[in-house]
Each structure stands twice: as C-alpha cells, then as structure tokens.
C-alpha cells in the first residue's frame, strides 16, 4: 500500500480523496489543514484531520504528500518546504514561474533525498504531455490549445471581487469557427479574441448598478478586455440550480505536415470532457503520486515534471501486464 | 548528430526517410535492402543503398537502426538479430505475440549492450500510450478504440488474393452512432459489427465473376465475416485517381467516472486524422529513435516499449526548454 497524505482540503483535496478510493494500492493516512482540524469533516472513515503544524510527526507514516493548495501563494512556499521531509506532488499552474519553482523544489528534494513532482493535472499536465509528444512526433506544425466549455475559477473569483456582485460564474468557451478551421488543418493564426469567448453569470446585490458591473467585467484587463464577453444577470436560485458544478475540458491540437514536399497534413487532437475539473485533476495527481513513490523507491531524488516520468510508473499493473493488455 | 540506418525500403522506410529531414539533429547514413541495391532509388542525396548482407560493416557508423519490415515474418527475426550489434527500433504490431517478441529482443539487446525499442507507431504506439495513461488516471471506466476512416493494408491485401481481383482497397470506417454513444459517456457494450464497417473498392479482371468476388470478400473469416461490408467495383482509372493515398486515423476514448458516488463522467479522447499513415508512423519511429539513442548513451540496455520511455527523451529540446515552452 502506498500511504498518502493530503495537505489542503478544498475542491482539489476532496477530488484527491475520492480518487484514492478508486486505487486499491493506495490508502489515505491523514489530511492536514491550516484551519482548525476539528472544524473539518472529511469523507474517509477512520482517517484523521491534523493541523499543518503536526505534519512532521508523519514523516515515516506517509509515502507521498499531495499538496492541494493554490499556486499563487501556497505551493511556492509549501512545496520546497515539505520536499525536504516527504515525497511531494502538486498541481502548480503559474506557467511563467515554473522554471523558478522547479529549481526550488529540486534543491529541497535533493537535500532531503526525496522526489518532488510539480505541475501535474490537465493543464499543466496532460495537455503539456500531449503538446510535447505531438511536437516531437510532428516537428513541423503548430500547436493550438482550446479550453472549455468550462468554469474558470480564477475568472469567477475576479468577478466576485467587483462591487455589487454577490456571486459569479465564468465559462470559457472555444470559438467554434476557429476550432473547425484548426481541425481542418488550415493552421490559422488566431488572436486571443478569435480563440475563446467568455460567458459570465452574475448574481447582483440588491440595488446594485448592473450596467456598471457589466462594463467593469467586460473591460477588466487580462481577464476579459481581450475577449468577447457576455454578462448575464441571474437570481441566486438559478445560480444554485444551474451553475453549482465545476465542469471543464478542452483540447490540444497539433496540426503538422509530413512528406518530402510537406504534402500530407497530420492532425493530432487530445480532448477532455470533464464533469468535474477538481476530481479529474485529483485523479491525475494520485496516478502520479504512485509514480513519485516508485521513483523514490528506485533511489531517485529531485524535482520531476510530467515530461520526466515514464508512463509505466503511473499504472498499478506490471510491465508484463501492460504489454499484454494495453500495448 | 544521431546517425540513422533504415532497413527495409517500402512505404514505411520512405516515411522514415522523409521524417529524418524534419529533425535537424538526425542524419540518414544508409539504407539496407534485401533487393538488389542497384535497383533501388532513394530520395536522400549522397546516401548509399546497401545489401542487408553488408549491415555489420556499419556497426560503428550507425547509432540507431530503424527496422521497416513487416510484422509477420521480417521483424520477429530481424529485430533480435540486429539488436546484438545496433540500437534498434521497430513497429511490430502483432498484438498477440508482443510478449514473446519483447523477451527475444530483450535477451539479444542485453547480450549486445544495446537498446531495442519495439511496437512504436500509432497502434501499437500512440494509441497504446493514451489507453495506458488514461486507464491509470481514470481507473474505473472503459476503453474504446475506433480506427478510420482509413485504408487497412492487410485487408486490402487479403482482397487482392481472391481470384479475379486485379486490385483492391479496403477502408475501415467507425460506426457513427456507436461513436456518438461512447462520446456521450453511455459506456455501451459494442460488438465488432457495431464498432466498424468495411468498404472495399475492387478492380476486377476482365470476365471475372463479380458476384462471386463480392460473396467471397463479405464472408472471409476474421477479415470481413464479422462486419457489415460493402463491395464496390470500380475501374482501374478510378482506383488510381481516388484511392492512391494511404490516409488513416482513429481515436481512443477512455470513458470513466469519478466522485464519492461515481457521479461525474470524465471522457478522454485521443484522435488522429492522418493524410499518410506510413509517414506518420515513420515520424513517430524517428522521435523514439532519438529516445533509444539517449537511453543507450545513459548506459541502459535491453528491450523497451512506449510505456518505459519518459517523454522528454523524444524531444531535441532540453528539460529547461521543455519546461519553459511546453509545460
């Protein structure tokens, strides 16, 4: 049994908890939180909730610690910190800071003789893996990444910070015409606006200036200004009824050419349709936690990304079983 | 530069030759054939064609030998034979004999201190990789593999062996209704007949009994009997004009569930649309030839499959570049 700890118990932590149940070779040992442990009720019977302050007392009881905090402030600090004492894995997704984060985790993990796996999930994660392999197999071509239709939690949060907004949900939507052109192998150059639209559903506070909210959302720099955005005001009941789930997905397309005269189009598409974004991310984290433990068991140390891990490490099946049933 | 040899110069050998041109870190050193070398004209200037009997004189001039023979009789013999003296890679695709082939190549490659990579292409190959990773990430679910629309060379050959058939081309076609049900997450149990239909275009010899040919094709055991097959007779000109290319493709779908009550559907699809099947297979072989050379350079030996190779080995980019641009 591979003994797992979860640090941070939000949507992602719960996704990891439910994924562990689907993997008979893994068991959840403890959940760590910065909140009052007594305030937190988890779903797995017989498993304790502890303060993050007690984490070191689990040094020999946990094989891999899955870090489920946020990329903005939690993971950059927590990951190198805990990599000294635990094999760790995270879903760090701030693309611009990955190099720095890799170096930090690599140093700490090597110091502790542990393995740290970073940026695991679907983007970064499965999408990166597919971009990378497809690029290596079709060196001449273009990559396209479309997200959605799905809920972006970062964009939803940004809307919630606007005055007069009680609740908000933002959907990222690929532009169908552009998707079709890419799938046809046209290799178009697409602007940000041509790739995705954004749909926002807002519950306004009573008496709020809806016109102003609409304007403020649609012109928000980075988040919305470069997109065609529609804002729809709905009731609190409607929000609960129709927008409680966290679906997401998207697709990575490599559109390349082969042949002595580059005369043949070759199109690779990796496509996800997810009813639950955090549960899918949690499931991937758990599979890569298995890999982290195995790499550690072989004596490897330091930071690894999805590019560095041979796929066989993800599966509970032996090499022989994999060759017989999945090759 | 990674120095490549090609052994066997049919459609696949030419696909490999054209792929090498798209990879600036690789060079073609020689092509080996069982035919009279003088009879063979290749596309790369300044590169010689040699008899397979001369292959050992290239022992120190070739880093990876790409074996482009057939799976039925060539590769089972050639791969262990040459793995003693070269790093080798092949696209061995007889699923039922992979375990045996792995053992043969593993023994020979270890004896010679070389690396042998087997069953690389898209199925087995990319499809296997996606089936395996998706299965590890969504342990509860079902895998579906659809092929086509595309030319199956094995089925085309089978038709050509029938008396009165001058030429034939067989297309494998996924059944759209079944595909839609799978994409909807219905997880249907599908029979062979429900997954694919087969379309055969036949040029009959003058005076041939077309009714008999039609009957013989549609009832051929293993190849056609379990499918709904349509046979269309066409002229030689039509065959040349409309059926000269070798397009193929298909998709692997993992349809799984997550959540404490298995309440969320999660669907992963990997989809290929290929204008040229042999050129795409050749491109993948070349990327994995790079990996074979690197594994060998690190001191590894023995047989590897697509499951055993960390993706980073496929790319000419450094780990740092991969993290910066593709993660």
């Amino acid at each position: 049994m591979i003994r797992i700890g979860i640090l941070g118990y939000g949507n992602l932590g719960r996704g990891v908890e439910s994924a562990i149940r689907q993997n008979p070779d893994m068991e959840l040992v403890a959940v760590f939180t910065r909140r009052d442990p007594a305030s937190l009720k988890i779903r797995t019977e017989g498993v304790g909730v502890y303060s993050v302050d007690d984490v070191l007392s689990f040094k020999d009881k946990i094989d891999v610690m899955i870090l489920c905090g946020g990329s903005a402030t939690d993971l950059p600090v927590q990951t190198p910190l805990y990599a000294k004492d635990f094999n760790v894995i995270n879903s760090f997704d701030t693309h611009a800071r990955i190099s720095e984060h890799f170096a930090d985790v690599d140093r700490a993990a090597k110091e502790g003789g542990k393995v740290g796996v970073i940026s695991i999930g679907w983007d970064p994660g499965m999408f990166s893996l597919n971009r990378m392999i497809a690029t290596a197999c079709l060196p001449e071509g273009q990559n396209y990444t479309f997200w959605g239709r799905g809920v972006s939690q970062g964009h939803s949060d940004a809307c919630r910070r606007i005055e007069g907004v009680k609740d908000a949900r933002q959907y990222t939507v690929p532009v169908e015409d552009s998707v079709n052109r890419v799938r046809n192998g046209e290799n178009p150059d697409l602007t940000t606006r041509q790739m995705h639209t954004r749909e926002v559903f807002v519950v306004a506070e009573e008496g709020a200036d809806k016109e102003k909210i609409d304007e403020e959302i649609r012109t928000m720099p980075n988040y919305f200004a470069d997109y065609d955005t529609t804002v729809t005001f709905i009731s609190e009941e409607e929000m609960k009824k129709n927008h409680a789930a966290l679906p997401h997905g998207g697709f990575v397309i490599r559109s390349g050419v082969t042949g002595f005269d580059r005369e043949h189009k070759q199109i690779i598409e990796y496509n996800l349709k997810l009813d639950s974004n955090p549960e899918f991310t949690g499931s991937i984290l758990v599979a890569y936690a298995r890999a982290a433990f195995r790499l550690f068991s072989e004596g490897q140390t330091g930071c690894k990304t999805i590019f560095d891990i041979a796929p066989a490490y993800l599966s509970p099946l032996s090499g022989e079983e994999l060759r017989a049933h999945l090759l």
Side-chain angles (χ1 to χ4, degrees), chain A:
Chain A
M1 289 298 260
I2 303 174
R3 300 164 303 169
I4 303 289
I6 293 174
L7 200 150
Y9 194 72
N11 286 329
L12 182 58
R14 279 190 294 274
V16 168
E17 183 186 16
S18 79
I20 290 169
R21 297 190 180 196
Q22 296 186 299
N23 289 276
D25 61 335
M26 313 190 98
E27 69 178 315
L28 179 62
V29 169
V31 171
F32 301 92
T33 179
R34 282 176 301 195
R35 296 178 261 175
D36 171 13
S39 73
L40 209 149
K41 197 164 157 35
I42 69 168
R43 298 284 298 262
T44 310
E45 261 179 57
V47 171
V49 180
Y50 306 87
S51 161
V52 285
D53 302 333
D54 298 333
V55 74
L56 277 186
S57 66
F58 283 83
K59 200 168 153 39
D60 301 316
K61 294 175 193 152
I62 283 174
D63 296 314
V64 185
M65 186 73 83
I66 303 183
L67 304 174
C68 299
S71 293
T73 55
D74 301 335
L75 297 177
V77 177
Q78 290 173 349
T79 317
L81 179 65
Y82 297 121
K84 287 178 197 154
D85 296 297
F86 296 94
N87 297 309
V88 294
I89 179 166
N90 74 25
S91 60
F92 184 75
D93 67 359
T94 312
H95 288 266
R97 294 184 61 193
I98 282 178
S99 290
E100 179 192 343
H101 187 55
F102 182 91
D104 291 346
V105 175
D106 195 50
R107 203 178 307 114
K110 281 182 177 151
E111 199 187 309
K114 300 289 182 185
V115 169
V117 184
I118 64 164
S119 301
I120 297 295
W122 56 277
D123 196 5
M126 286 297 137
F127 275 16
S128 325
L129 186 68
N130 276 278
R131 276 190 290 263
M132 197 237 99
I133 294 178
T135 304
C137 291
L138 291 175
E140 295 185 53
Q142 255 181 281
N143 291 333
Y144 296 87
T145 303
F146 290 94
W147 295 277
R149 188 175 197 257
V151 174
S152 162
Q153 300 191 59
H155 286 78
S156 301
D157 289 344
C159 296
R160 274 186 219 108
R161 285 191 291 264
I162 291 173
E163 205 193 308
V165 172
K166 200 167 176 185
D167 198 2
R169 199 75 80 254
Q170 195 270 185
Y171 294 88
T172 307
V173 186
V175 175
E176 211 182 310
D177 179 58
S178 300
V179 173
N180 290 338
R181 290 177 61 199
V182 172
R183 286 195 178 135
N184 276 338
E186 294 176 30
N187 282 22
D189 287 320
L190 298 170
T191 64
T192 299
R193 194 177 300 274
Q194 287 172 311
M195 290 195 72
H196 297 94
T197 56
R198 298 195 177 278
E199 297 175 9
V200 189
F201 295 87
V202 174
V203 179
E205 277 165 9
E206 241 186 78
D209 183 343
K210 291 186 179 175
E211 235 166 90
K212 195 164 159 262
I213 291 174
D214 177 288
E215 172 77 11
E216 228 173 295
I217 291 176
R218 287 190 298 100
T219 57
M220 197 187 295
N222 301 320
Y223 284 88
F224 294 98
D226 298 334
Y227 299 84
D228 290 334
T229 302
T230 54
V231 179
T232 309
F233 290 90
I234 59 174
S235 69
E236 211 161 353
E237 293 67 45
E238 217 178 322
M239 179 65 81
K240 257 187 209 148
K241 199 180 141 217
N242 298 332
H243 304 284
L246 295 170
H248 216 317
F251 30 100
V252 170
I253 299 174
R254 174 88 182 159
S255 175
V257 290
T258 63
F260 291 102
D261 302 306
R262 300 177 173 77
E263 69 274 35
H264 292 127
K265 288 182 192 167
Q266 314 274 22
I267 296 178
I268 305 173
E269 174 170 343
Y270 178 79
N271 190 313
L272 295 175
K273 282 194 211 91
L274 310 174
D275 275 359
S276 166
N277 180 357
E279 286 176 7
F280 187 65
T281 303
S283 297
I284 301 174
L285 280 168
V286 166
Y288 276 88
R290 179 183 289 120
F293 175 67
R294 289 184 177 170
L295 291 168
F296 168 77
S297 304
E298 288 182 1
Q300 298 208 39
T301 61
C303 190
K304 311 279 175 193
T305 73
I306 202 160
F307 302 145
D308 307 314
I309 297 175
Y313 286 102
L314 305 180
S315 172
L317 301 178
S318 70
E320 211 174 310
E321 289 169 315
L322 289 177
R323 289 191 292 277
H325 303 301
L326 290 162
L327 195 64

